[in-house]
Amino acid sequence: MIRIPRRSGVSPPERPRRARRWRTASALLSAGVLVTSLLGLPAALAVDDSSSASAPAASGGAETAAEPTAQDTGRQTDGTEPAAGTPVEAEAETGTEDGSGSRPQDDAGTLTAPALLRDGTGLYPRVLRLEHSGEASGRVLASVVTFEDGNGLGAIYESTDDGATFEQVGTVADPESSGGKGLCCATLYELPQPVGDLPAGTLLWASSAGQDEDDRRMSLRIWTSHDVGRTWSYLSSCATAPNDGGLWEPEFTIAEDGALVCYYADETDSAHSQKLSAVRSYDGVTWSDPRDVVASDWPEDRPGMPVVRKLPNGTYFMSYEICNPGGQYQCVVHYRTSPDGWDWGDPAHLGYRPETADGRYFRATPTIAWAPDPGGDPDGRILLIGQMLLNADGSTAEGNGSTVMVNSSNGEGPWTAIPAPVPVPDAQPDYCPNYSSPLLPSADGTRLLEIATDWDGDVCKPYYATAPLG
């Protein structure tokens, strides 16, 4: 992914400002800059050498891990296979017959218009609907990263009308992200059950802090709120770098055994340009048992940007990107599953690439959401979005920056393309347009809220809109 260098007094960020201080030259080459032909390098050669690999079963459980090799056996050059069992034609779940869709309309049949969440810099948005917060349950909360006078801040917004309007209700001001120290990639999470002394409904906000310090030692710092986002207190750090490598993109879930799990992208292991790691805690304060979740046998691969959702059948579903030094499958979106939120199988297995029946796929910065099925199917639907939409041959697809993919089979088989509520048709390799756009279905699964960022002049601003989901 592209991380944003933040130096004192720089707000809003210059456009496009892509570089930051990378650990090694290979890390620079494999960063999420999404360049398809960087220095003429070929695509990753780490491919799955097992012809029997298949997508995980819908009944749950981690997928069978295959042994990746450094030889090209004629499979996908991003090192993984598309989801197995994809038929030639997909049954359209929503949208038009060809899956391309058209711009959503409101009940009156007119086009819905995205609105500004924040009239200023607002990066890496996140959104959730409170479900465990007593009288506040049903409210929608959102967060963005912003900067004032060189200080990195988390701006917290609330909607009491299911995403029709928002107002700012809180700010997370971490001293470790002040004075130009750096702030990136914040997440927002509501505890669905108690963890130690933290009651259900506790809000967690976590970020990558300290990226721009000299001789940096980054950390993933967690803050809590017990008043629906109005005030925040520091809780703990789920990871602290042992060297000047980066720690990025924290993500939370509650594992089957009740542990709070923190997933993140990890640049601190000299054997990997970047890998996905996880730690867990039973009280939210003490973190232990670090483990690799996705760690390629090819050191240049850079899995990152994990997002995890628990499905109704008990399976945990993770989306992420894998960047490498170029080629058609640079930063392609992948997924894998776990039966318990902790054991994801062999870390060297790179996962599966979600695709439509005609081979379209997402590049970079994925997020996922689960939506109930209005027709009553207990499996519901998985919703997926990425920064760019590509055709099977790697060219930019129609609907780029304006498409969501839907799957009603727990991730198996083909995905169907539908229009995104917030269209960003000029999405490109940049840290702003359609970058890590969160999705939030309505409680009944009939509507979809999205927050997406885009340039307004030289300012990266967050926009939101709700569209029919069907």
Side-chain angles (χ1 to χ4, degrees), residues 275-359:
K275 63 183 182 179
L276 290 184
S277 298
V279 291
R280 60 183 173 183
S281 174
Y282 293 92
D283 61 5
V285 177
T286 302
W287 296 86
S288 60
D289 306 321
R291 61 164 47 190
D292 294 346
V293 177
V294 183
S296 176
D297 283 345
W298 194 48
E300 285 76 11
D301 274 339
R302 293 177 56 83
M305 307 191 76
V307 177
V308 177
R309 295 292 181 267
K310 186 177 181 180
L311 306 182
N313 67 4
T315 300
Y316 291 77
F317 190 98
M318 175 188 289
S319 66
Y320 50 98
E321 66 179 17
I322 299 181
C323 296
N324 49 51
Q328 175 178 335
Y329 296 103
Q330 166 67 230
C331 291
V332 165
V333 172
H334 294 68
Y335 79 88
R336 64 187 308 170
T337 62
S338 167
D340 59 10
W342 183 244
D343 181 5
W344 294 85
D346 182 359
H349 189 285
L350 301 185
Y352 302 93
R353 184 174 67 251
E355 295 181 342
T356 61
D358 60 1

Coordinates of all heavy atoms in Angstrom, one line a residue, residues 275-359:
K275 N 4.8 -9.0 5.8 CA 4.0 -10.2 6.0 C 2.8 -9.7 6.8 O 2.8 -8.6 7.4 CB 4.8 -11.3 6.7 CG 5.2 -10.9 8.1 CD 6.1 -12.0 8.8 CE 6.5 -11.5 10.2 NZ 7.3 -12.6 10.9
L276 N 1.8 -10.6 6.9 CA 0.7 -10.4 7.8 C 0.9 -11.2 9.1 O 1.2 -12.4 9.1 CB -0.7 -10.8 7.2 CG -1.2 -10.0 6.0 CD1 -2.6 -10.5 5.6 CD2 -1.3 -8.5 6.4
S277 N 0.8 -10.5 10.2 CA 1.0 -11.1 11.5 C -0.2 -10.9 12.4 O -1.1 -10.2 12.1 CB 2.2 -10.4 12.2 OG 3.4 -10.6 11.5
A278 N -0.2 -11.6 13.5 CA -1.3 -11.5 14.5 C -0.8 -11.8 15.9 O 0.2 -12.5 16.1 CB -2.4 -12.6 14.2
V279 N -1.4 -11.1 16.8 CA -1.2 -11.3 18.3 C -2.6 -11.4 18.9 O -3.6 -11.0 18.3 CB -0.3 -10.3 18.9 CG1 1.1 -10.3 18.4 CG2 -0.9 -8.9 18.7
R280 N -2.6 -11.9 20.2 CA -3.9 -11.9 20.8 C -3.8 -11.5 22.3 O -2.7 -11.6 22.9 CB -4.5 -13.3 20.7 CG -3.7 -14.5 21.3 CD -4.4 -15.8 21.0 NE -3.5 -16.9 21.4 CZ -3.9 -18.2 21.3 NH1 -5.0 -18.5 20.7 NH2 -3.1 -19.2 21.6
S281 N -5.0 -11.2 22.9 CA -5.0 -10.7 24.2 C -6.3 -11.2 24.8 O -7.4 -11.2 24.2 CB -4.9 -9.2 24.3 OG -5.1 -8.7 25.6
Y282 N -6.3 -11.5 26.1 CA -7.5 -11.9 26.8 C -8.0 -10.8 27.8 O -9.0 -11.0 28.5 CB -7.3 -13.2 27.6 CG -7.1 -14.4 26.6 CD1 -5.8 -14.8 26.2 CD2 -8.2 -15.1 26.1 CE1 -5.7 -15.8 25.3 CE2 -8.0 -16.1 25.2 CZ -6.8 -16.5 24.8 OH -6.6 -17.5 23.9
D283 N -7.3 -9.7 27.8 CA -7.7 -8.6 28.6 C -7.6 -7.2 27.9 O -8.0 -6.2 28.4 CB -6.9 -8.5 29.9 CG -5.4 -8.3 29.7 OD1 -5.0 -8.2 28.6 OD2 -4.7 -8.4 30.8
G284 N -7.1 -7.2 26.6 CA -6.9 -6.0 25.9 C -5.7 -5.2 26.3 O -5.4 -4.2 25.7
V285 N -5.0 -5.7 27.3 CA -3.8 -5.0 27.8 C -2.5 -5.7 27.5 O -1.5 -5.1 26.9 CB -3.9 -4.7 29.3 CG1 -2.7 -4.0 29.8 CG2 -5.2 -3.9 29.6
T286 N -2.5 -7.0 27.8 CA -1.3 -7.8 27.6 C -1.5 -8.6 26.3 O -2.4 -9.3 26.1 CB -1.1 -8.8 28.7 OG1 -0.9 -8.0 29.9 CG2 0.2 -9.6 28.5
W287 N -0.5 -8.5 25.4 CA -0.6 -9.2 24.1 C 0.5 -10.2 24.0 O 1.7 -10.0 24.4 CB -0.4 -8.1 23.0 CG -1.6 -7.1 23.0 CD1 -1.7 -6.0 23.7 CD2 -2.8 -7.3 22.2 NE1 -2.9 -5.4 23.5 CE2 -3.6 -6.2 22.6 CE3 -3.3 -8.2 21.3 CZ2 -4.8 -5.9 22.0 CZ3 -4.5 -8.0 20.8 CH2 -5.3 -6.9 21.1
S288 N 0.2 -11.4 23.4 CA 1.1 -12.5 23.3 C 0.9 -13.3 22.1 O 0.0 -13.1 21.3 CB 1.0 -13.3 24.6 OG -0.4 -13.9 24.6
D289 N 1.7 -14.4 22.0 CA 1.6 -15.4 20.9 C 1.7 -14.8 19.5 O 0.8 -15.1 18.7 CB 0.3 -16.2 21.1 CG 0.1 -16.8 22.5 OD1 1.1 -17.3 23.0 OD2 -1.0 -16.8 23.0
P290 N 2.7 -14.1 19.2 CA 2.8 -13.5 17.8 C 2.9 -14.7 16.8 O 3.6 -15.7 17.1 CB 4.0 -12.7 17.9 CG 4.8 -13.2 19.0 CD 3.8 -13.6 20.0
R291 N 2.2 -14.5 15.7 CA 2.3 -15.6 14.7 C 2.2 -15.0 13.3 O 1.6 -13.9 13.1 CB 1.3 -16.7 14.9 CG -0.2 -16.2 14.8 CD -1.1 -17.4 14.6 NE -0.8 -18.5 15.6 CZ -1.4 -19.7 15.5 NH1 -2.3 -19.9 14.5 NH2 -1.1 -20.6 16.4
D292 N 2.7 -15.7 12.3 CA 2.5 -15.3 10.9 C 1.1 -15.8 10.4 O 0.7 -16.9 10.7 CB 3.6 -15.9 10.0 CG 5.0 -15.4 10.3 OD1 5.1 -14.4 11.0 OD2 5.9 -16.0 9.9
V293 N 0.4 -14.9 9.7 CA -0.8 -15.3 9.1 C -0.6 -15.5 7.6 O -1.1 -16.5 7.0 CB -1.9 -14.2 9.3 CG1 -3.2 -14.6 8.6 CG2 -2.1 -14.1 10.8
V294 N 0.0 -14.6 6.9 CA 0.4 -14.8 5.5 C 1.8 -14.3 5.4 O 2.1 -13.1 5.6 CB -0.5 -14.0 4.5 CG1 -0.1 -14.2 3.1 CG2 -2.0 -14.3 4.7
A295 N 2.7 -15.2 5.0 CA 4.1 -14.9 4.9 C 4.7 -15.7 3.7 O 4.9 -16.9 3.9 CB 4.9 -15.2 6.2
S296 N 4.9 -15.1 2.6 CA 5.2 -15.7 1.4 C 6.6 -16.4 1.4 O 7.5 -15.8 2.1 CB 5.1 -14.8 0.2 OG 5.6 -15.4 -1.0
D297 N 6.8 -17.5 0.7 CA 8.1 -18.0 0.6 C 9.0 -17.2 -0.3 O 10.2 -17.3 -0.4 CB 8.0 -19.4 0.0 CG 7.6 -20.5 1.0 OD1 7.7 -20.2 2.2 OD2 7.2 -21.6 0.6
W298 N 8.4 -16.3 -1.1 CA 9.1 -15.3 -1.9 C 9.3 -14.0 -1.1 O 8.3 -13.3 -0.9 CB 8.4 -15.1 -3.2 CG 9.2 -14.4 -4.3 CD1 10.5 -14.7 -4.7 CD2 8.8 -13.3 -5.1 NE1 10.9 -13.9 -5.7 CE2 9.9 -13.0 -5.9 CE3 7.7 -12.5 -5.1 CZ2 9.9 -11.9 -6.8 CZ3 7.7 -11.4 -6.1 CH2 8.8 -11.2 -6.9
P299 N 10.5 -13.7 -0.7 CA 10.6 -12.6 0.3 C 10.1 -11.2 -0.2 O 9.7 -10.4 0.6 CB 12.1 -12.5 0.5 CG 12.6 -13.9 0.2 CD 11.7 -14.3 -0.9
E300 N 10.0 -11.0 -1.5 CA 9.6 -9.7 -2.1 C 8.1 -9.5 -2.0 O 7.6 -8.4 -2.1 CB 10.1 -9.6 -3.5 CG 11.5 -9.3 -3.6 CD 12.4 -10.5 -3.4 OE1 11.9 -11.6 -3.4 OE2 13.6 -10.3 -3.3
D301 N 7.3 -10.6 -1.8 CA 5.9 -10.4 -1.7 C 5.5 -9.6 -0.4 O 6.2 -9.8 0.6 CB 5.2 -11.8 -1.6 CG 4.9 -12.4 -2.9 OD1 4.8 -11.6 -3.9 OD2 4.7 -13.6 -3.0
R302 N 4.5 -8.8 -0.6 CA 4.1 -7.9 0.5 C 2.6 -8.0 0.8 O 1.8 -7.2 0.4 CB 4.4 -6.5 0.2 CG 5.9 -6.2 0.1 CD 6.2 -4.8 -0.3 NE 5.6 -3.8 0.5 CZ 6.1 -3.4 1.7 NH1 7.3 -3.9 2.2 NH2 5.5 -2.5 2.4
P303 N 2.1 -9.1 1.5 CA 0.7 -9.1 1.9 C 0.5 -8.0 2.9 O 1.3 -7.7 3.8 CB 0.6 -10.5 2.5 CG 2.0 -10.9 2.9 CD 2.9 -10.2 1.9
G304 N -0.7 -7.3 2.8 CA -1.0 -6.2 3.7 C -2.5 -5.9 3.7 O -3.3 -6.5 2.9
M305 N -2.9 -4.9 4.5 CA -4.2 -4.4 4.6 C -5.3 -5.4 4.9 O -6.3 -5.6 4.2 CB -4.5 -3.6 3.3 CG -3.5 -2.6 3.0 SD -4.0 -1.4 1.7 CE -5.1 -0.4 2.6
P306 N -5.1 -6.2 6.0 CA -6.1 -7.2 6.3 C -7.4 -6.6 6.9 O -7.4 -5.6 7.6 CB -5.4 -8.0 7.5 CG -4.5 -7.0 8.1 CD -4.0 -6.1 7.0
V307 N -8.5 -7.2 6.5 CA -9.8 -6.9 7.0 C -10.5 -8.3 7.3 O -10.5 -9.1 6.4 CB -10.7 -6.0 6.1 CG1 -12.1 -5.8 6.7 CG2 -10.0 -4.7 5.8
V308 N -11.1 -8.4 8.5 CA -11.7 -9.7 8.9 C -13.1 -9.5 9.3 O -13.5 -8.6 10.0 CB -10.9 -10.3 10.1 CG1 -11.5 -11.6 10.5 CG2 -9.4 -10.5 9.6
R309 N -14.0 -10.5 8.8 CA -15.3 -10.5 9.3 C -15.7 -12.0 9.6 O -15.3 -12.9 8.9 CB -16.3 -10.0 8.2 CG -16.1 -8.5 7.9 CD -16.6 -7.6 9.0 NE -16.4 -6.2 8.7 CZ -15.4 -5.5 9.0 NH1 -14.3 -6.1 9.6 NH2 -15.3 -4.2 8.7
K310 N -16.5 -12.2 10.7 CA -17.0 -13.5 11.0 C -18.3 -13.7 10.3 O -19.2 -12.9 10.4 CB -17.2 -13.6 12.5 CG -17.5 -15.0 13.0 CD -17.6 -15.1 14.5 CE -17.9 -16.6 14.9 NZ -18.0 -16.7 16.4
L311 N -18.4 -14.8 9.6 CA -19.6 -15.2 8.9 C -20.6 -15.9 9.7 O -20.2 -16.5 10.8 CB -19.3 -16.0 7.6 CG -18.2 -15.4 6.7 CD1 -18.0 -16.4 5.5 CD2 -18.6 -14.0 6.2
P312 N -21.9 -16.0 9.4 CA -22.9 -16.7 10.2 C -22.6 -18.1 10.5 O -23.0 -18.7 11.5 CB -24.2 -16.5 9.4 CG -24.0 -15.2 8.6 CD -22.5 -15.3 8.3
N313 N -21.9 -18.8 9.6 CA -21.6 -20.2 9.7 C -20.4 -20.4 10.7 O -19.9 -21.6 10.9 CB -21.4 -20.9 8.4 CG -20.1 -20.4 7.7 OD1 -19.3 -19.6 8.2 ND2 -19.9 -20.9 6.5
G314 N -19.8 -19.4 11.2 CA -18.7 -19.5 12.1 C -17.3 -19.3 11.5 O -16.3 -19.1 12.2
T315 N -17.3 -19.3 10.2 CA -16.0 -19.1 9.5 C -15.6 -17.6 9.6 O -16.4 -16.7 9.5 CB -16.2 -19.5 8.0 OG1 -16.5 -20.8 7.9 CG2 -14.9 -19.2 7.2
Y316 N -14.3 -17.4 9.7 CA -13.7 -16.1 9.7 C -13.1 -15.9 8.3 O -12.4 -16.7 7.8 CB -12.6 -15.9 10.7 CG -13.1 -15.9 12.1 CD1 -13.5 -17.1 12.8 CD2 -13.2 -14.7 12.9 CE1 -14.0 -17.1 14.1 CE2 -13.7 -14.7 14.2 CZ -14.0 -15.9 14.8 OH -14.5 -15.9 16.1
F317 N -13.5 -14.7 7.7 CA -13.1 -14.4 6.3 C -12.2 -13.2 6.3 O -12.5 -12.2 6.8 CB -14.4 -14.2 5.5 CG -14.2 -14.1 4.0 CD1 -14.4 -15.1 3.2 CD2 -13.8 -12.9 3.4 CE1 -14.3 -15.1 1.8 CE2 -13.6 -12.8 2.0 CZ -13.9 -13.9 1.2
M318 N -11.0 -13.3 5.7 CA -10.0 -12.2 5.7 C -9.8 -11.8 4.2 O -9.5 -12.7 3.4 CB -8.7 -12.6 6.3 CG -7.6 -11.6 6.2 SD -6.0 -12.1 6.7 CE -6.3 -12.2 8.5
S319 N -9.8 -10.5 3.9 CA -9.4 -10.0 2.6 C -8.1 -9.3 2.9 O -7.8 -8.7 4.0 CB -10.4 -9.1 2.0 OG -10.6 -7.9 2.8
Y320 N -7.2 -9.2 1.8 CA -6.0 -8.5 1.9 C -5.4 -8.4 0.5 O -5.9 -9.0 -0.5 CB -5.0 -9.3 2.8 CG -4.8 -10.8 2.5 CD1 -3.8 -11.2 1.7 CD2 -5.7 -11.7 2.9 CE1 -3.6 -12.6 1.4 CE2 -5.6 -13.0 2.6 CZ -4.5 -13.5 1.9 OH -4.4 -14.8 1.6
E321 N -4.4 -7.6 0.4 CA -3.7 -7.4 -0.9 C -2.3 -8.1 -0.8 O -1.8 -8.3 0.3 CB -3.5 -5.9 -1.3 CG -2.6 -5.2 -0.3 CD -2.4 -3.7 -0.6 OE1 -3.1 -3.2 -1.4 OE2 -1.4 -3.2 -0.1
I322 N -1.8 -8.4 -2.0 CA -0.4 -8.9 -2.0 C 0.3 -8.1 -3.1 O 0.0 -8.3 -4.3 CB -0.2 -10.4 -2.3 CG1 -0.9 -11.2 -1.2 CG2 1.2 -10.8 -2.4 CD1 -0.8 -12.7 -1.4
C323 N 1.3 -7.2 -2.7 CA 2.0 -6.4 -3.6 C 3.4 -7.1 -3.8 O 3.9 -7.9 -3.0 CB 2.2 -5.0 -3.1 SG 0.7 -4.1 -2.9
N324 N 4.0 -6.8 -4.9 CA 5.3 -7.3 -5.3 C 5.9 -6.4 -6.4 O 5.3 -5.4 -6.7 CB 5.2 -8.8 -5.8 CG 4.1 -9.0 -6.8 OD1 4.1 -8.3 -7.8 ND2 3.2 -9.9 -6.6
P325 N 7.1 -6.8 -6.9 CA 7.7 -5.8 -7.8 C 7.1 -5.6 -9.2 O 7.8 -5.2 -10.1 CB 9.2 -6.4 -7.9 CG 9.3 -7.2 -6.7 CD 8.0 -7.8 -6.5
G326 N 5.9 -5.9 -9.4 CA 5.3 -5.5 -10.7 C 4.6 -6.6 -11.4 O 4.5 -7.7 -10.8
G327 N 4.1 -6.4 -12.6 CA 3.4 -7.4 -13.3 C 1.9 -7.2 -13.2 O 1.4 -6.3 -12.5
Q328 N 1.2 -8.0 -14.0 CA -0.3 -7.8 -14.0 C -0.9 -7.9 -12.7 O -1.9 -7.3 -12.4 CB -0.9 -8.9 -15.0 CG -2.4 -8.9 -15.0 CD -3.0 -9.9 -16.0 OE1 -2.3 -10.3 -16.9 NE2 -4.2 -10.3 -15.7
Y329 N -0.4 -8.8 -11.8 CA -1.1 -9.1 -10.5 C -0.5 -8.3 -9.4 O -0.5 -8.7 -8.2 CB -1.1 -10.6 -10.3 CG -1.8 -11.3 -11.3 CD1 -1.2 -12.0 -12.3 CD2 -3.2 -11.3 -11.3 CE1 -1.9 -12.7 -13.3 CE2 -4.0 -12.0 -12.3 CZ -3.3 -12.7 -13.3 OH -4.0 -13.3 -14.2
Q330 N 0.1 -7.1 -9.6 CA 0.6 -6.2 -8.6 C -0.5 -5.8 -7.7 O -1.5 -5.3 -8.1 CB 1.2 -5.0 -9.3 CG 1.5 -3.8 -8.4 CD 2.6 -4.1 -7.4 OE1 2.4 -3.9 -6.2 NE2 3.7 -4.6 -7.8
C331 N -0.3 -6.1 -6.4 CA -1.3 -5.7 -5.3 C -2.7 -6.3 -5.5 O -3.7 -5.6 -5.1 CB -1.3 -4.2 -5.2 SG 0.2 -3.4 -4.6
V332 N -2.8 -7.4 -6.1 CA -4.1 -8.0 -6.3 C -4.7 -8.4 -5.0 O -4.0 -8.8 -4.0 CB -4.0 -9.3 -7.2 CG1 -5.2 -10.1 -7.2 CG2 -3.7 -8.8 -8.7
V333 N -6.0 -8.3 -4.9 CA -6.8 -8.7 -3.7 C -6.9 -10.2 -3.6 O -7.2 -10.9 -4.6 CB -8.2 -8.0 -3.8 CG1 -9.1 -8.5 -2.6 CG2 -8.0 -6.5 -3.7
H334 N -6.8 -10.7 -2.4 CA -6.9 -12.1 -2.0 C -7.8 -12.3 -0.8 O -8.1 -11.3 -0.1 CB -5.5 -12.7 -1.7 CG -4.5 -12.7 -2.8 ND1 -3.9 -11.6 -3.3 CD2 -3.9 -13.8 -3.4 CE1 -3.1 -11.9 -4.3 NE2 -3.1 -13.2 -4.3
Y335 N -8.1 -13.6 -0.6 CA -8.8 -13.9 0.6 C -8.4 -15.3 1.1 O -7.9 -16.1 0.4 CB -10.4 -13.8 0.5 CG -11.0 -15.1 -0.2 CD1 -11.4 -16.2 0.6 CD2 -11.2 -15.1 -1.6 CE1 -11.9 -17.3 -0.1 CE2 -11.7 -16.2 -2.2 CZ -12.1 -17.3 -1.4 OH -12.6 -18.4 -2.0
R336 N -8.6 -15.5 2.4 CA -8.5 -16.8 3.0 C -9.4 -16.9 4.2 O -10.0 -15.9 4.6 CB -7.0 -17.2 3.3 CG -6.4 -16.3 4.4 CD -4.9 -16.6 4.6 NE -4.7 -18.1 4.8 CZ -3.5 -18.6 4.7 NH1 -2.4 -17.9 4.5 NH2 -3.3 -19.9 4.9
T337 N -9.6 -18.1 4.7 CA -10.5 -18.3 5.8 C -9.9 -19.0 7.0 O -8.8 -19.7 6.9 CB -11.8 -19.1 5.3 OG1 -11.3 -20.4 4.9 CG2 -12.5 -18.4 4.2
S338 N -10.6 -18.9 8.1 CA -10.1 -19.6 9.4 C -11.4 -20.2 10.1 O -12.4 -19.5 10.1 CB -9.4 -18.6 10.3 OG -9.3 -19.1 11.6
P339 N -11.2 -21.3 10.7 CA -12.4 -21.8 11.5 C -12.6 -21.2 12.8 O -13.7 -21.3 13.4 CB -12.0 -23.3 11.7 CG -10.5 -23.3 11.7 CD -10.1 -22.2 10.7
D340 N -11.5 -20.4 13.3 CA -11.6 -19.9 14.7 C -11.1 -18.5 14.9 O -11.0 -18.0 16.0 CB -10.9 -20.9 15.7 CG -9.4 -21.1 15.3 OD1 -8.9 -20.3 14.4 OD2 -8.8 -22.0 15.9
G341 N -10.6 -17.9 13.8 CA -10.1 -16.5 13.9 C -8.6 -16.4 14.3 O -8.1 -15.3 14.4
W342 N -8.0 -17.6 14.6 CA -6.6 -17.6 15.0 C -5.8 -18.5 14.1 O -4.7 -18.1 13.7 CB -6.5 -18.1 16.5 CG -5.2 -18.1 17.0 CD1 -4.4 -19.1 17.4 CD2 -4.3 -16.9 17.2 NE1 -3.2 -18.7 17.9 CE2 -3.1 -17.4 17.8 CE3 -4.5 -15.5 17.0 CZ2 -2.0 -16.5 18.1 CZ3 -3.4 -14.7 17.3 CH2 -2.2 -15.2 17.9
D343 N -6.3 -19.6 13.8 CA -5.5 -20.6 12.9 C -6.0 -20.4 11.5 O -7.1 -20.7 11.1 CB -5.8 -22.0 13.3 CG -5.0 -23.0 12.5 OD1 -4.2 -22.6 11.6 OD2 -5.2 -24.2 12.7
W344 N -5.1 -19.8 10.6 CA -5.4 -19.5 9.2 C -4.7 -20.5 8.3 O -4.7 -20.3 7.1 CB -5.0 -18.1 8.9 CG -5.9 -17.1 9.7 CD1 -5.6 -16.6 10.9 CD2 -7.1 -16.5 9.2 NE1 -6.6 -15.8 11.3 CE2 -7.5 -15.6 10.3 CE3 -7.8 -16.5 8.1 CZ2 -8.7 -14.9 10.2 CZ3 -9.0 -15.8 8.0 CH2 -9.4 -15.0 9.0
G345 N -4.2 -21.6 8.8 CA -3.5 -22.5 7.9 C -2.0 -22.1 7.7 O -1.5 -21.2 8.4
D346 N -1.4 -22.7 6.7 CA 0.0 -22.5 6.4 C 0.2 -21.1 5.9 O -0.4 -20.6 4.9 CB 0.4 -23.5 5.3 CG 1.9 -23.3 4.9 OD1 2.6 -22.5 5.4 OD2 2.3 -24.1 4.0
P347 N 1.0 -20.3 6.6 CA 1.2 -18.9 6.2 C 1.8 -18.7 4.8 O 1.6 -17.7 4.2 CB 2.2 -18.3 7.2 CG 2.0 -19.2 8.4 CD 1.7 -20.6 7.9
A348 N 2.5 -19.7 4.3 CA 3.0 -19.6 3.0 C 2.0 -19.8 1.9 O 2.3 -19.5 0.7 CB 4.1 -20.7 2.8
H349 N 0.8 -20.3 2.2 CA -0.3 -20.4 1.2 C -0.8 -19.0 1.1 O -1.3 -18.4 2.0 CB -1.3 -21.3 1.7 CG -2.4 -21.6 0.7 ND1 -3.4 -20.7 0.3 CD2 -2.6 -22.7 -0.1 CE1 -4.1 -21.2 -0.6 NE2 -3.7 -22.4 -0.9
L350 N -0.8 -18.4 -0.1 CA -1.1 -17.0 -0.3 C -2.6 -16.7 -0.4 O -3.0 -15.6 -0.5 CB -0.4 -16.5 -1.6 CG 1.1 -16.6 -1.5 CD1 1.7 -15.9 -2.8 CD2 1.7 -16.0 -0.3
G351 N -3.4 -17.8 -0.5 CA -4.9 -17.6 -0.5 C -5.5 -17.7 -1.9 O -4.9 -18.3 -2.8
Y352 N -6.6 -17.0 -2.1 CA -7.4 -17.1 -3.3 C -7.8 -15.7 -3.8 O -7.9 -14.8 -3.0 CB -8.6 -17.9 -3.1 CG -8.3 -19.3 -2.6 CD1 -8.3 -19.6 -1.2 CD2 -8.0 -20.3 -3.5 CE1 -8.0 -20.9 -0.8 CE2 -7.7 -21.6 -3.0 CZ -7.7 -21.9 -1.7 OH -7.4 -23.1 -1.2
R353 N -7.9 -15.6 -5.1 CA -8.2 -14.3 -5.7 C -9.7 -14.3 -6.1 O -10.2 -15.1 -7.0 CB -7.4 -14.1 -7.0 CG -7.6 -12.7 -7.6 CD -6.7 -12.4 -8.8 NE -6.9 -13.3 -9.9 CZ -6.1 -14.2 -10.3 NH1 -5.0 -14.5 -9.6 NH2 -6.4 -15.0 -11.4
P354 N -10.5 -13.5 -5.5 CA -11.9 -13.4 -5.9 C -12.1 -12.8 -7.3 O -11.4 -11.8 -7.6 CB -12.6 -12.4 -4.9 CG -11.5 -12.0 -4.0 CD -10.2 -12.5 -4.5
E355 N -12.9 -13.4 -8.1 CA -13.1 -13.0 -9.5 C -14.6 -13.1 -9.9 O -15.3 -13.9 -9.3 CB -12.4 -13.9 -10.5 CG -10.9 -13.8 -10.4 CD -10.2 -14.7 -11.4 OE1 -10.9 -15.6 -11.9 OE2 -9.0 -14.5 -11.7
T356 N -15.0 -12.3 -10.9 CA -16.3 -12.5 -11.5 C -16.2 -13.6 -12.5 O -15.1 -14.1 -12.8 CB -16.7 -11.2 -12.3 OG1 -15.7 -10.9 -13.3 CG2 -16.8 -10.0 -11.3
A357 N -17.3 -14.0 -13.0 CA -17.3 -15.2 -14.0 C -16.4 -14.9 -15.2 O -15.9 -15.8 -15.8 CB -18.7 -15.5 -14.4
D358 N -16.3 -13.6 -15.6 CA -15.5 -13.3 -16.8 C -14.1 -12.8 -16.4 O -13.3 -12.3 -17.2 CB -16.2 -12.2 -17.6 CG -16.4 -10.9 -16.8 OD1 -16.0 -10.8 -15.6 OD2 -17.0 -9.9 -17.4
G359 N -13.7 -13.1 -15.2 CA -12.3 -12.9 -14.8 C -11.9 -11.5 -14.2 O -10.7 -11.3 -14.0

